Amino acid sequence: MTQPPSSIMGHTLRRVIFFVLVTLTTLIALGLLVSVFQPDGFSPMELLLLLLYTILFAWICISFWTAFMGFWVLLFGRDRWAISRQSPDTSPDPMAAPPRTAILMPIYNEDSERVFAGLRAIHRSLATTGQLDRFDFFILSDTRDPDVWVEEELRWQDMVRALDGKGRIFYRNRPENTSRKSGNLEDFCTRWGGRYRYMIVLDADSIMQGETLVEMVRLMELHPRVALIQTPPVPVNRESLFARILQFASSLYGRMFTAGLNYWQLGESNYWGHNAIIRIQPFLDYCGLPKLPGREPFGGEILSHDFVEAALLRRAGWEVWLAYDLVGSYEEIPPTLIDYAKRDRRWCQGNLQHLRLAFSKGLNALSRLHFLMGVMSYAASPLWLLFLIATGVEAYLQTQQELVYFFGENWQPVWPVSFAVEMTTVLLVTLTMLFLPKLLALLLLLKDRQLRRAYGGMLGATLSVLLETIFSVLTAPVLMLFQTKFVLAILMRKAVGWPPQQRGDHQTGFTEAVLAHGGHTLIGVVAGVLSYLYVPAFFWWFIPVLLGLGLAIPVSMLSSSMALGRRARQWGLFMTPEETESPTVLRDLEDGLRENEPVLPVLRETPSSRFVQVLIDPYVNALHRSLLPEREPPGKRRRHYLEGLIHQLEEEGPNSLSPTQKRELIAEPETLLRLHALFWSRPPAKMML
Amino acid sequence: MNTLRSSLATPFGPPLLERLQAYWMALGVSDPNLALALSEQTLRRLPDFPEEGEIAARAIIAAGELLDDWLAAALGLPRPSPALTAARAALLSGIVPEWPAALFAPPGAAGIALERLRAAIAEPTPAPSPGSMPAQRIEPLWKRS
């Protein structure tokens, strides 16, 4: 599993260049700020500002130089050390049996129709490669909702029938969802892992082209030292204005960033949890996750398992690559700003836990950096907020100082030194670091006519970048406050309240927007009034932040609009290559969702509740019972408990039971059969449901 | 048939027969007379079942058991077995229209229908091929080993 010395030296050189650039840029910016503060000594507030600025600027620098290196790679062709370009470590044995690969779709209370439409599209795409027989599909359900559970079973059976997938398309629902997604995958690996050489892990909203899947397996076969190849998933398919802006930004800038990440991370890259291929044996050997000692948020179960698994593989000497140039890997993103923040809430705790893991024994330096970068993607928000507050306070303190022109016996006035040039330079450097990557991404379009057209032409793309920049300036302060709230709540072990969650595409209503952003608006107004009254000079610099907070409610509502998203598309704004010319696999998904013609007659009906249907319908009941795992009959106490639930169901109806209680009833075969029999034994007028 | 019906109706009553008939029809028996005959056959088995729960509910379970008997015989499946439950689900999915004709046909006469049924039996998971996944040690830098 060793690499040739030339490539090791080359890899080291790239990293040296990268970190020298990051360090130098940070030091130069820091030097400018120090030159402003130094003449009259450092106050504690100034020292705090310097510390915060150093951390935040270094964070921006990492991002900037990554983008710049990606720009360089894409400008001058492909990276010669990309995993897709490397010469094979081994020549495949033509006599050996082709490897078998499991495509895994871990799901948890997802929209079943979408999940299975996606899998069918992937299956169809894979069939066109002629290599379908080398892949098996696993739907690994951790679903707890009884209605969704039954729906999944029916959709699975329908997919098997429609695609003649018996013995290739599998489904199981875990009785207990221990350790969530990582436990779900571990369950697969320990039960069926020995049948496959590779697994390709998807997310519920992942879509992958068949050719991409085949290519991932080919690359793994050529490079036996590689344990994991991550593809960059491109966001697609959403129609709201918010999602279309994000899709555009991720697509246009993302390709540059991923090329840049690969440039310096090379075989020490990261795992993002899905749309990746994993060699099963090293995963079994080295990726069993322990429970961390201590309480949450830093102890307990490892929540964001992907980074940890990549780090453990690296610790064991395996390579982890980001195949930035592999296309045909897609995902879907939250449709509104509020949904986006909700997703952040889920991810935040897992990423903060990485702070502890970054200082674990035996890890590679880059693995530690991955952990810290994960932490910084959330910790940056409270740090920015602190920086803004500290800047405001410092500006206020400056206004309180009376200027003294004459010192001691000196008869000549000492004019105050202006640091406007230095301060402006600091600001310009920061803004350049933030916004130049957008310009670089746009410049790359000049190189490729086809790509230019795919992004809506040079004019459309330029206008889109401009509008996206304004939009990101407006939403950044809102996300900063959201993330700050999440970080503080997690550190204080407090739950964060949310309005009830809505699934699928939807528009943010006024009440939802006010509940989510009312506090932001209030903070914006108060901060605006205070800064205007007490630090008027600071107020004008503060305007972008204040505007973002003040307009949070209308921006959140308007950007959730699908009509506006479609209108922008008609105007050629925020176009992505996948929108301009939709790949077959995405068209298949769309057609599948639109046509939705199930083979099973029972799926053509839309019952009020699949839970009730599984009790009544002999077919649904039998299918569900046939899929329940074999286990010991319940003990006496358990039987009494289930008996009580049956009586409750008979007397008060299904709505009186919680989803957990419903699940308990249908998870036990004898109870389920008994309920089925009870239903059919009643005269129609006395039927219990 | 009528004599039989009256003799069975005495202990169980006509409502029970009607419920069973409705159940057999829900299982895919489209001929009401056949459904009635199957209901009566079900009731004949009833004394074999333990005296637990409501009699009508026991009769419904007995109907399912009867169906399983025929399925096990036709497909050569052990009973009880998960495969038999899966076979029942396959049969009720409508893969073999008018299934009584196939199940009650003389041996060899319904080969195609039974093959279709066999092919439709769900296989939710493959045979296990287990592996071990030991939990890794993750210790802080400052902890002495």
Side-chain angles (χ1 to χ4, degrees):
Chain A
M1 295 205 302
T2 52
Q3 294 175 23
S6 62
S7 70
I8 293 173
M9 280 176 65
H11 292 192
T12 311
L13 185 67
R14 280 186 177 193
R15 284 172 195 155
V16 168
I17 293 171
F18 176 77
F19 286 109
V20 164
L21 285 170
V22 169
T23 313
L24 274 181
T25 328
T26 308
L27 287 176
I28 290 168
L30 188 64
L32 282 168
L33 205 58
V34 167
S35 71
V36 175
F37 292 150
Q38 202 181 23
D40 52 351
F42 294 107
S43 69
M45 188 59 79
E46 285 169 345
L47 283 174
L48 176 68
L49 275 171
L50 279 177
L51 177 71
L52 289 172
Y53 186 73
T54 309
I55 298 171
L56 292 168
F57 194 81
W59 175 235
I60 296 172
C61 276
I62 289 179
S63 183
F64 171 80
W65 285 113
T66 300
F68 187 83
M69 285 170 169
F71 170 75
W72 194 259
V73 168
L74 295 181
L75 188 66
F76 294 105
R78 295 166 69 189
D79 187 341
R80 71 187 173 110
W81 278 324
I83 188 66
S84 57
R85 302 266 285 184
Q86 287 181 26
S87 50
D89 304 334
T90 177
S91 44
D93 178 2
M95 302 301 286
R100 294 204 59 73
T101 303
I103 296 176
L104 311 182
M105 172 79 79
I107 50 175
Y108 176 81
N109 294 344
E110 316 287 346
D111 171 2
S112 307
E113 194 181 336
R114 164 63 187 80
V115 164
F116 284 90
L119 278 171
R120 282 175 183 231
I122 296 170
H123 188 280
R124 197 167 298 134
S125 179
L126 199 50
T128 60
T129 66
Q131 298 197 28
L132 186 62
D133 56 338
R134 296 183 186 181
F135 294 82
D136 285 348
F137 286 72
F138 281 80
I139 297 104
L140 303 173
S141 169
D142 256 357
T143 292
R144 304 292 97 187
D145 184 304
D147 290 297
V148 182
W149 182 15
V150 177
E151 176 84 16
E152 283 171 5
E153 291 174 339
L154 292 171
R155 296 262 169 209
W156 163 71
Q157 192 49 201
D158 193 62
M159 181 175 168
V160 171
R161 291 275 174 88
L163 303 176
D164 193 19
K166 185 179 171 181
R168 286 188 300 107
I169 304 170
F170 302 110
Y171 173 89
R172 76 100 177 83
N173 180 276
R174 268 202 308 169
E176 305 292 334
N177 62 337
T178 319
S179 300
R180 298 175 232 203
K181 190 174 168 185
S182 64
N184 196 356
L185 292 176
E186 182 177 330
D187 180 70
F188 164 83
C189 288
T190 52
R191 289 173 71 184
W192 302 292
R195 295 171 60 92
Y196 305 95
R197 194 176 300 168
Y198 307 114
M199 59 181 178
I200 293 175
V201 183
L202 304 178
D203 215 5
D205 55 17
S206 294
I207 292 287
M208 292 197 75
Q209 228 160 257
E211 280 173 17
T212 313
L213 298 170
V214 170
E215 177 63 7
M216 288 160 88
V217 173
R218 191 187 73 84
L219 289 175
M220 291 294 268
E221 282 290 280
L222 293 178
H223 304 289
R225 63 176 199 276
V226 176
L228 192 150
I229 298 178
Q230 173 70 56
T231 63
V234 176
V236 290
N237 282 351
R238 293 285 186 205
E239 292 196 317
S240 70
L241 182 64
F242 173 84
R244 288 203 61 244
I245 293 174
L246 238 65
Q247 282 170 187
F248 170 77
S250 303
S251 175
L252 185 67
Y253 317 143
R255 52 194 288 271
M256 200 172 67
F257 275 100
T258 50
L261 283 174
N262 179 66
Y263 184 87
W264 62 272
Q265 294 181 355
L266 297 154
E268 292 185 60
S269 193
N270 208 351
Y271 172 35
W272 301 340
H274 56 91
N275 294 35
I277 186 168
I278 300 174
R279 196 179 296 275
I280 290 183
Q281 195 54 53
F283 192 82
L284 273 170
D285 293 341
Y286 303 110
C287 292
L289 297 181
K291 202 170 176 181
L292 299 173
R295 286 176 63 196
E296 287 182 348
F298 297 111
E301 276 177 15
I302 292 176
L303 299 175
S304 285
H305 56 96
D306 39 14
F307 281 34
V308 185
E309 285 155 354
L312 290 173
L313 287 171
R314 287 295 306 130
R315 187 172 78 172
W318 290 85
E319 291 182 14
V320 175
W321 284 85
L322 169 63
Y324 78 93
D325 50 352
L326 270 193
V327 293
S329 172
Y330 309 103
E331 65 175 345
E332 287 172 0
I333 51 172
T336 69
L337 179 62
I338 294 175
D339 291 316
Y340 187 82
K342 283 177 184 172
R343 189 183 70 171
D344 260 358
R345 172 67 184 86
R346 282 206 315 273
W347 288 359
C348 184
Q349 188 166 348
N351 280 40
L352 289 186
Q353 200 181 38
H354 291 169
L355 186 58
R356 169 195 185 143
L357 295 166
F359 302 100
S360 302
K361 279 182 186 172
L363 296 184
N364 293 50
L366 277 196
S367 297
R368 294 184 200 284
L369 185 65
H370 290 315
F371 283 133
L372 292 176
M373 284 167 72
V375 174
M376 265 309 279
S377 30
Y378 292 93
S381 284
L383 293 180
W384 272 117
L385 183 63
L386 199 58
F387 182 74
L388 283 175
I389 294 169
T391 313
V393 171
E394 175 67 11
Y396 174 72
L397 293 176
Q398 292 290 337
T399 60
Q400 298 304 300
Q401 285 180 359
E402 280 185 35
L403 292 176
V404 180
Y405 296 95
F406 297 96
F407 292 89
E409 301 295 313
N410 208 342
W411 58 274
Q412 281 184 315
V414 178
W415 300 106
V417 181
S418 168
F419 294 103
V421 174
E422 286 85 346
M423 281 308 288
T424 310
T425 312
V426 170
L427 188 68
L428 282 177
V429 169
T430 312
L431 291 178
T432 305
M433 289 288 179
L434 283 171
F435 296 112
L436 188 60
K438 293 174 194 278
L439 195 63
L440 295 178
L442 207 51
L443 284 177
L444 280 174
L445 294 186
L446 289 172
K447 190 187 154 217
D448 190 331
R449 193 162 154 256
Q450 207 175 345
L451 202 62
R452 206 160 55 232
R453 207 168 46 217
Y455 282 100
M458 206 59 209
L459 186 67
T462 309
L463 202 55
S464 302
V465 166
L466 193 70
L467 292 171
E468 184 276 328
T469 305
I470 294 169
F471 184 74
S472 64
V473 167
L474 285 176
T475 50
V478 177
L479 288 171
M480 175 183 72
L481 288 191
F482 266 136
Q483 290 177 348
T484 303
K485 181 175 155 186
F486 300 154
V487 170
L488 293 179
I490 288 164
L491 293 178
M492 291 157 71
R493 300 196 176 100
K494 280 189 177 173
V496 179
W498 278 106
Q501 189 176 350
Q502 295 177 51
R503 293 182 180 278
D505 277 325
H506 64 276
Q507 193 156 345
T508 303
F510 181 70
T511 314
E512 190 187 3
V514 169
L515 283 171
H517 302 297
H520 303 152
T521 311
L522 192 66
I523 290 171
V525 170
V526 171
V529 170
L530 287 178
S531 60
Y532 187 77
L533 290 178
Y534 296 103
V535 214
F538 181 67
F539 173 81
W540 299 108
W541 289 105
F542 208 32
I543 281 284
V545 178
L546 295 175
L547 265 181
L549 296 176
L551 297 175
I553 292 173
V555 166
S556 183
M557 286 174 69
L558 284 173
S559 66
S560 72
S561 161
M562 277 182 282
L564 276 180
R566 288 190 205 109
R567 181 62 60 86
R569 186 173 174 166
Q570 283 165 7
W571 290 339
L573 291 173
F574 312 119
M575 297 301 293
T576 62
E578 288 72 26
E579 284 182 338
T580 307
E581 193 175 338
S582 187
T584 314
V585 71
L586 295 183
R587 280 205 305 274
D588 279 347
L589 168 65
E590 202 182 326
D591 293 346
L593 284 169
R594 195 177 43 241
E595 288 159 13
N596 188 24
E597 286 174 4
V599 176
L600 291 180
V602 73
L603 273 174
R604 290 184 208 133
E605 303 157 17
T606 44
S608 57
S609 150
R610 291 279 180 212
F611 167 73
V612 172
Q613 196 177 27
V614 79
L615 302 183
I616 299 172
D617 188 297
Y619 166 62
V620 183
N621 185 280
L623 177 70
H624 182 73
R625 280 194 300 117
S626 76
L627 298 179
L628 290 174
E630 283 184 85
R631 54 182 174 185
E632 291 291 309
K636 198 172 176 184
R637 189 188 290 180
R638 179 87 185 149
R639 277 207 311 275
H640 281 303
Y641 170 69
L642 293 171
E643 193 73 30
L645 292 183
I646 291 173
H647 287 309
Q648 188 179 336
L649 177 66
E650 281 189 285
E651 286 162 18
E652 297 169 37
N655 290 338
S656 71
L657 298 171
S658 70
T660 309
Q661 290 171 325
K662 288 179 184 172
R663 185 184 162 89
E664 286 174 313
L665 281 176
I666 65 170
E668 210 285 303
E670 291 304 317
T671 309
L672 183 58
L673 186 61
R674 199 172 145 217
L675 278 167
H676 180 64
L678 275 177
F679 172 83
W680 281 99
S681 66
R682 299 280 195 275
K686 289 186 182 171
M687 278 177 184
M688 58 185 178
L689 303 172
Chain B
M1 180 79 77
N2 285 339
T3 322
L4 187 66
R5 183 173 183 178
S6 58
S7 68
L8 284 165
T10 311
F12 302 117
L16 179 55
L17 265 180
E18 281 166 23
R19 295 305 305 143
L20 270 175
Q21 188 185 24
Y23 186 62
W24 277 110
M25 294 184 80
L27 293 181
V29 179
S30 56
D31 177 359
N33 288 327
L34 180 59
L36 187 64
L38 292 172
S39 306
E40 287 161 349
Q41 199 174 344
T42 309
L43 288 179
R44 264 189 237 110
R45 284 170 60 107
L46 209 48
D48 299 342
F49 281 81
E51 287 285 332
E52 265 180 29
E54 291 180 38
I55 195 156
R58 280 166 47 213
I60 295 295
I61 291 175
E65 296 280 337
L66 197 58
L67 179 60
D68 282 353
D69 281 349
W70 294 323
L71 270 172
L75 299 174
L77 293 171
R79 83 179 306 266
S81 68
L84 189 59
T85 319
R88 194 205 281 203
L91 184 81
L92 300 180
S93 73
I95 196 80
V96 182
E98 295 302 325
W99 59 258
L103 278 195
F104 305 143
I112 296 170
L114 291 180
E115 273 317 301
R116 284 188 70 189
L117 182 58
R118 220 173 250 118
I121 295 174
E123 196 183 314
T125 54
S129 178
S132 70
M133 198 165 173
Q136 301 299 302
R137 288 170 74 89
I138 299 181
E139 291 176 338
L141 284 168
W142 49 87
K143 188 178 176 184
R144 287 186 186 169
S145 27

